[in-house]
Amino acid sequence: MDILVENFFNLAIMQSALPTVLTGFGMTLLLVAVVVPVGFAGGLLVALVSGARSRLLRWPMIAYVDFFRAFPPLVLLIFIHAGLPFAGIDLPAFAAVTLAFFLNTSCYYGEILRAGIESIGKGQMEAARSTGLTKLLAMTNVILPQAVRNVLPDLISNTLEVVKLTSIASVVALPELLYSAEMARSISYNASPIILAAGLYLLLLWPVVRLLSRLEHRLAA
Amino acid sequence: MTNPYLLDVRGLHKSFGHTEVLAGIDFQVAERELVFVIGPSGSGKSTLLRCCNLLEEPTSGTVTVDGVDLTAPGVDINKMRQRIGMVFQSFNLYPHMTASGNVTLALRKVLKQGRAEAAETALAALERVGMADKAEAFPNELSGGQQQRVAIARALALEPKIMLFDEPTSALDPELVGSVLKVMQDMRESGMTMVVVSHEMQFARAAADRVTFIDGGLIVEEGPPEQMFSNPTFPRTREFLARVAHA
Ligand SMILES: Nc1ncnc2c1ncn2[C@@H]1O[C@H](COP(=O)(O)OP(=O)(O)OP(=O)(O)O)[C@@H](O)[C@H]1O
Ligand SMILES: [Mg+2]
């Protein structure tokens, strides 16, 4: 029991690791604040283009989505960070992570939003167009608000996955939460910083999980 | 060159794939006229109406509204659609907006009215259809008849030159039909030009200037309601009217 507390819940070590881990937490928050909106915006674009009438637009988008959904995000990130420099493209860690997340998450957000858009009857678009709204205005004012509402649980659920996935940024030495905790662990030869990091992830994500389950309940009712 | 007709459809063909749905329609509506369009299911009534504001792209032929050929290249169709109101069988109100929000959307985004001005215009339009007191209600809080009247207000607010109705009362419970027909009657009396696809033959008798019978993508015959209903020229028209009368 003592050994367990000593190695995993060592308060003294947690305290000394706290500044490092909190800095990492800050970086994780920053990362989330960048990759979630960027991924969502990319997803919107994916959804709109894959619903386009022109095959010239639609088919490349289908290929793009298929490709990056099949590409493991960790492999993608390592490729961008460690592989692209061989092609003369040397991105800083943060930019590499942002690009990898954009390519990966835009596909998932895109598929969810597309399903949402398809759930709206075509009468809505026709009514909007019949009053002189352009296709884009009808999309943004009439279709998307309803579409997003219809797939809100899936969007939140995906966002949850994205937040958790930000920990892969540690492999390119971006000092986010996992990387910082791992650093503190290797200095202290003690697992407590990892537990601390896990606690912070939980603190961040638990409210989102609660919200999601309430939404799912409400929709099921 | 002025066109005496507000709506002038010439040689209109429309095919979906290999099926020809409209097979050469010539159809004219003068200002302040109320024209009723009747015909069996699948005869192309909705398609004709939807070609009149280019919700469907004609395969060939021209559709001229207020002197502008909608099928000509370079026509600003969004601008033209402000002059062509449309009312759908299933209302198609935006469920995430209030009645007022439904009406103000195009006023703000298309006519670029400010928030206050748009709200005022919307309220006036809702007033015309007897729905001003429900301006802040959401569609799911309204009966079918009320929803359809809001949908009419949504079109009216843009001050269209012509209104197209596609079976505006078909989705309504019988006791709610009257309220919508009453609004349409009022519009007619205020001089609105209207094309109405509907099975409300009594309303046609009372309000229509002309009844047009369509079958198989062609206009079979048209004439004043008394003549069409009591003494149609073609057997097909007679058969159709007999069937509707017994339904
Ligand atoms: N988008 C479409 N794609 C393929 N076929 C269509 C399409 N829209 C209509 N049609 C076909 O065109 C024909 C005419 O349809 P339309 O809706 O104009 O008939 P209608 O006279 O309005 O019938 P109803 O009284 O049932 O409303 C029908 O056979 C229909 O199946
Ligand atoms: Mg129809």
Side-chain angles (χ1 to χ4, degrees):
Chain A
M1 190 63 198
D2 276 358
I3 289 179
L4 192 74
V5 171
E6 169 71 26
N7 282 309
F8 291 93
F9 300 96
N10 191 319
L11 286 182
I13 288 193
M14 280 191 184
Q15 198 167 20
S16 67
L18 192 61
T20 312
V21 173
L22 278 183
T23 311
F25 188 53
M27 178 57 92
T28 288
L29 291 180
L30 179 66
L31 205 50
V32 168
V34 171
V35 298
V36 169
V38 164
F40 187 84
L44 267 181
L45 205 67
V46 167
L48 292 181
V49 173
S50 40
R53 229 184 302 172
S54 146
R55 285 183 198 168
L56 224 62
L57 287 171
R58 219 169 49 214
W59 286 4
M61 196 47 91
I62 292 172
Y64 168 83
V65 170
D66 279 4
F67 184 80
F68 284 107
R69 285 216 295 180
F71 211 119
L74 184 55
V75 181
L76 179 63
L77 175 56
I78 291 174
F79 174 77
I80 290 172
H81 189 250
L84 284 188
F86 289 100
I89 304 168
D90 200 349
L91 293 175
F94 197 93
V97 173
T98 304
L99 178 59
F101 270 80
F102 173 77
L103 294 174
N104 177 266
T105 59
S106 63
C107 296
Y108 288 96
Y109 279 124
E111 288 295 289
I112 295 170
L113 288 169
R114 191 167 64 93
I117 290 170
E118 281 169 5
S119 74
I120 307 302
K122 70 176 173 47
Q124 290 288 306
M125 177 57 92
E126 290 179 350
R129 295 304 305 272
S130 79
T131 61
L133 264 70
T134 61
K135 199 168 180 183
L136 186 65
L137 279 173
M139 251 309 158
T140 51
N141 290 279
V142 175
I143 307 297
L144 280 176
Q146 298 181 62
V148 166
R149 194 183 290 188
N150 282 1
V151 293
L152 198 55
D154 290 333
L155 287 173
I156 295 176
S157 183
N158 190 55
T159 304
L160 210 57
E161 294 306 317
V162 172
V163 174
K164 286 190 264 181
L165 199 64
T166 57
S167 58
I168 68 171
S170 56
V171 303
V172 297
L174 189 74
E176 45 69 73
L177 183 51
L178 177 63
Y179 184 88
S180 314
E182 180 54 18
M183 220 161 63
R185 181 202 60 81
S186 64
I187 291 168
S188 63
Y189 293 106
N190 188 294
S192 302
I194 304 287
I195 299 291
L196 187 60
L200 286 171
Y201 275 120
L202 205 66
L203 204 67
L204 177 63
L205 293 179
W206 183 71
V208 184
V209 173
R210 276 295 354 123
L211 175 73
L212 183 60
S213 109
R214 278 184 50 181
L215 266 178
E216 281 167 345
H217 258 87
R218 213 187 58 196
L219 288 181
Chain B
M1 194 186 77
T2 55
N3 195 319
Y5 297 110
L6 193 50
L7 171 66
D8 190 355
V9 175
R10 303 262 168 181
L12 177 63
H13 288 256
K14 174 67 188 178
S15 303
F16 294 105
H18 292 296
T19 352
E20 187 166 63
V21 171
L22 298 179
I25 297 254
D26 291 292
F27 180 61
Q28 284 82 31
V29 179
E31 214 169 328
R32 304 176 79 92
E33 227 187 343
L34 191 160
V35 178
F36 235 74
V37 178
I38 58 174
S41 179
S43 56
K45 305 180 297 295
S46 296
T47 307
L48 168 61
L49 227 49
R50 293 158 56 83
C51 281
C52 293
N53 66 355
L54 252 58
L55 278 185
E56 287 312 341
E57 193 85 37
T59 308
S60 66
T62 57
V63 177
T64 307
V65 175
D66 203 12
V68 179
D69 177 5
L70 304 186
T71 60
V75 166
D76 184 348
I77 187 62
N78 295 314
K79 192 163 173 213
M80 288 308 295
R81 281 180 179 147
Q82 296 164 32
R83 303 186 210 169
I84 313 168
M86 187 170 228
V87 174
F88 302 84
Q89 178 175 353
S90 49
F91 329 135
N92 296 347
L93 289 184
Y94 316 132
H96 60 302
M97 294 179 185
T98 61
S100 168
N102 268 273
V103 182
T104 50
L105 181 65
L107 295 173
R108 299 197 52 197
K109 301 293 171 180
V110 180
L111 297 190
K112 308 277 184 218
Q113 293 188 358
R115 196 180 288 272
E117 191 193 352
E120 210 171 297
T121 315
L123 200 62
L126 288 167
E127 185 82 60
R128 281 183 69 180
V129 300
M131 290 295 295
D133 56 328
K134 297 281 188 189
E136 296 314 313
F138 282 89
N140 66 3
E141 301 165 340
L142 301 174
S143 76
Q146 292 174 324
Q147 288 189 54
Q148 191 60 297
R149 283 186 280 151
V150 173
I152 292 174
R154 175 171 67 183
L156 268 182
L158 295 165
E159 293 179 12
K161 291 273 195 164
I162 182 168
M163 291 273 294
L164 311 172
F165 295 83
D166 193 357
E167 307 205 24
T169 58
S170 296
L172 300 178
D173 293 334
E175 72 271 20
L176 300 176
V177 168
S179 66
V180 172
L181 293 182
K182 164 83 169 58
V183 166
M184 291 169 67
Q185 176 75 42
D186 289 348
M187 286 168 71
R188 185 215 177 351
E189 273 156 23
S190 68
M192 177 61 76
T193 308
M194 299 158 78
V195 180
V196 182
V197 172
S198 166
H199 299 297
E200 298 292 336
M201 300 302 172
Q202 274 186 329
F203 182 66
R205 271 179 203 277
D209 295 297
R210 179 153 51 101
V211 175
T212 300
F213 175 64
I214 295 190
D215 195 8
L218 284 167
I219 293 181
V220 176
E221 65 175 304
E222 47 187 342
E226 318 83 65
Q227 182 216 312
M228 286 292 283
F229 290 131
S230 50
N231 194 16
T233 313
F234 290 87
R236 270 197 288 174
T237 317
R238 222 167 293 147
E239 277 164 37
F240 171 74
L241 288 170
R243 246 184 302 139
V244 174
H246 291 132

